[in-house]
Amino acid sequence: MRVLVTGGAGFIGSHVVDELLHLQHDVVVVDDLDPAAHDGMPGGLSSDAEYVWRDVRDPSTWPGLLDGVDAVCHQAAKVGLGVAFADVTDYVSRNDLGTAFMLRAMHDVSFSGRLVLASSMVVYGEGRYQCAHHGVVRPGPRRMVDLEAGRFDPGCSVCDGSLVAERIPEDHWVDPRNVYAVTKLAQEGLCSAYEREHPGCAATLLRYHNVYGPRMPRDTPYAGVASLFRSAYERGDAPKVFEDGGQLRDFIHVTDVATANVLALTSERAISGPLNICSGTPRSILAMAEAIRPAGAPHPEVVGGYRLGDVRHVFASPDRAAHLLGFRAAIGFEEGVRAFATAPLRSVVEPSLARTTHA
């Protein structure tokens, strides 16, 4: 099978490429090496893939790129909460306009194979919460007066009582709370619209949870929290943890995420719609910061405060992915974090790939 992987030089995309190549698939990568995630040519890329160093938003990228392609794995995106709302144009351009250009190119060649999208848990916004008196409720945005006072957990939208966070199933409501989240939900909608209008195409929307592992970019606000903590320790600093550190997330190793992508691309049954790609076991942000702390390094510093657009708890049920895709995370938290503590982050090498097409 020939697979096009957009963003295939990136953190997650490069692991997907590796697994596809290991299974003897033919892989073509398109990537523009966005400087927000890459400081030059990244190390660790396989010379067995074909690389096209172009921007998916450039119409001249696409002629011939989809020739012979059986499946598309769309990883190209700007990720993370970002620096400020001023990032809005870049997020919308890279994520939504980039997806639109890709889908237009697919339409032009009547592509009807599998489409796998790298989506995100951020589409849910706040997680799923249960009130003892009112059942499952939808909390509103956290109030600044509460955040300033150190009250970080949302209250019941009916009685303002305390809530218990629960795992989110895929049919839960979506409520994106920041620019990045809005763009990921738009990507899902665009891919689903393409599927509906192109018989034979199946769009699998993989909602990644907090992915960590080797090849994460270092020292960038667009990286995941695990990389930010690693980078702080390497500088000899105590990583700073917002709020009280009790925010619950589901951390999943990048190798497992790559496996989920390959299953979605190659399984006998094509799967449409969203799938949570998670471990099923939530951990606190503070627990992650402590777990990757090297011996002798300073303990994480809980600094309070908050980031507008962030949410308190979000973790999900892995059951649908297990049932429909046969996917269960195989790398446990302790094992994965222990390896990640010394794993290479993004490095810079000279471009010396054997099968490279330069624009």
Side-chain angles (χ1 to χ4, degrees):
M1 183 169 71
R2 184 169 174 83
V3 183
L4 172 66
V5 183
T6 71
F11 164 44
I12 298 173
S14 64
H15 286 274
V16 175
V17 169
D18 285 350
E19 187 156 342
L20 286 168
L21 292 172
H22 177 71
L23 295 173
Q24 304 299 309
H25 295 291
D26 190 18
V27 180
V28 57
V29 169
V30 60
D31 199 305
D32 72 343
L33 299 179
D34 177 11
H38 302 276
D39 184 11
M41 182 71 66
L45 302 183
S46 173
S47 61
D48 292 330
E50 177 183 348
Y51 294 87
V52 178
W53 303 119
R54 297 292 294 264
D55 191 327
V56 296
R57 296 168 295 177
D58 183 348
S60 68
T61 297
W62 291 100
L65 191 60
L66 289 162
D67 290 352
V69 166
D70 302 293
V72 174
C73 185
H74 187 36
Q75 304 291 322
K78 189 177 184 71
V79 303
L81 193 55
V83 176
F85 193 84
D87 284 332
V88 61
T89 50
D90 205 23
Y91 272 110
V92 171
S93 178
R94 287 192 170 275
N95 296 356
D96 299 338
L97 187 60
T99 300
F101 270 108
M102 179 191 72
L103 295 174
R104 171 59 191 271
M106 291 164 56
H107 170 77
D108 287 345
V109 298
S110 301
F111 177 83
S112 60
R114 294 191 190 182
L115 169 60
V116 176
L117 171 70
S119 187
S120 172
M121 64 173 188
V122 295
V123 301
Y124 295 120
E126 276 291 349
R128 180 182 176 92
Y129 292 89
Q130 184 91 220
C131 172
H133 302 290
H134 299 101
V136 175
V137 296
R138 183 174 187 166
R142 294 192 291 174
R143 299 174 299 199
M144 287 188 67
V145 63
D146 291 329
L147 295 171
E148 293 285 355
R151 296 187 294 269
F152 302 116
D153 287 288
C156 176
S157 54
V158 180
C159 67
D160 206 32
S162 61
L163 298 173
V164 176
E166 298 182 338
R167 292 175 177 170
I168 308 169
E170 287 85 351
D171 60 359
H172 193 71
W173 58 68
V174 290
D175 186 17
R177 298 288 179 96
N178 56 58
V179 168
Y180 171 58
V182 171
T183 65
K184 296 310 286 185
L185 186 57
Q187 283 185 300
E188 287 195 5
L190 289 167
C191 291
S192 296
Y194 183 90
E195 177 189 50
R196 285 191 292 272
E197 297 190 29
H198 297 80
C201 178
T204 310
L205 316 173
L206 301 183
R207 291 176 176 169
Y208 301 162
H209 284 251
N210 285 66
V211 187
Y212 72 96
R215 304 181 197 162
M216 292 186 83
R218 68 174 77 240
D219 289 323
T220 167
Y222 304 99
V225 67
S227 175
L228 297 177
F229 292 159
R230 260 282 307 271
S231 296
Y233 285 129
E234 289 179 355
R235 295 191 304 269
D237 298 334
K240 291 178 169 49
V241 179
F242 289 119
E243 301 184 17
D244 60 1
Q247 309 94 303
L248 293 176
R249 299 291 188 269
D250 188 311
F251 295 96
I252 181 167
H253 196 272
V254 66
T255 301
D256 283 325
V257 174
T259 297
N261 275 273
V262 173
L263 284 171
L265 290 163
T266 63
S267 63
E268 183 176 348
R269 177 186 177 188
I271 307 300
S272 296
L275 295 173
N276 290 323
I277 303 303
C278 59
S279 73
T281 304
R283 311 274 178 169
S284 73
I285 295 291
L286 182 57
M288 168 55 91
E290 287 282 10
I292 64 174
R293 183 175 68 89
H299 286 278
E301 181 183 356
V302 178
V303 297
Y306 56 90
R307 295 188 300 174
L308 291 174
D310 210 346
V311 298
R312 180 60 174 172
H313 304 305
V314 55
F315 52 94
S317 168
D319 292 344
R320 187 170 193 263
H323 175 65
L324 295 181
L325 203 60
F327 171 75
R328 288 279 188 188
I331 299 178
F333 181 77
E334 290 77 13
E335 174 193 357
V337 170
R338 185 167 55 250
F340 176 66
T342 57
L345 300 182
R346 273 301 184 193
S347 59
V348 182
V349 299
E350 291 299 316
S352 58
L353 300 171
R355 297 173 56 203
T356 301
T357 302
H358 290 278

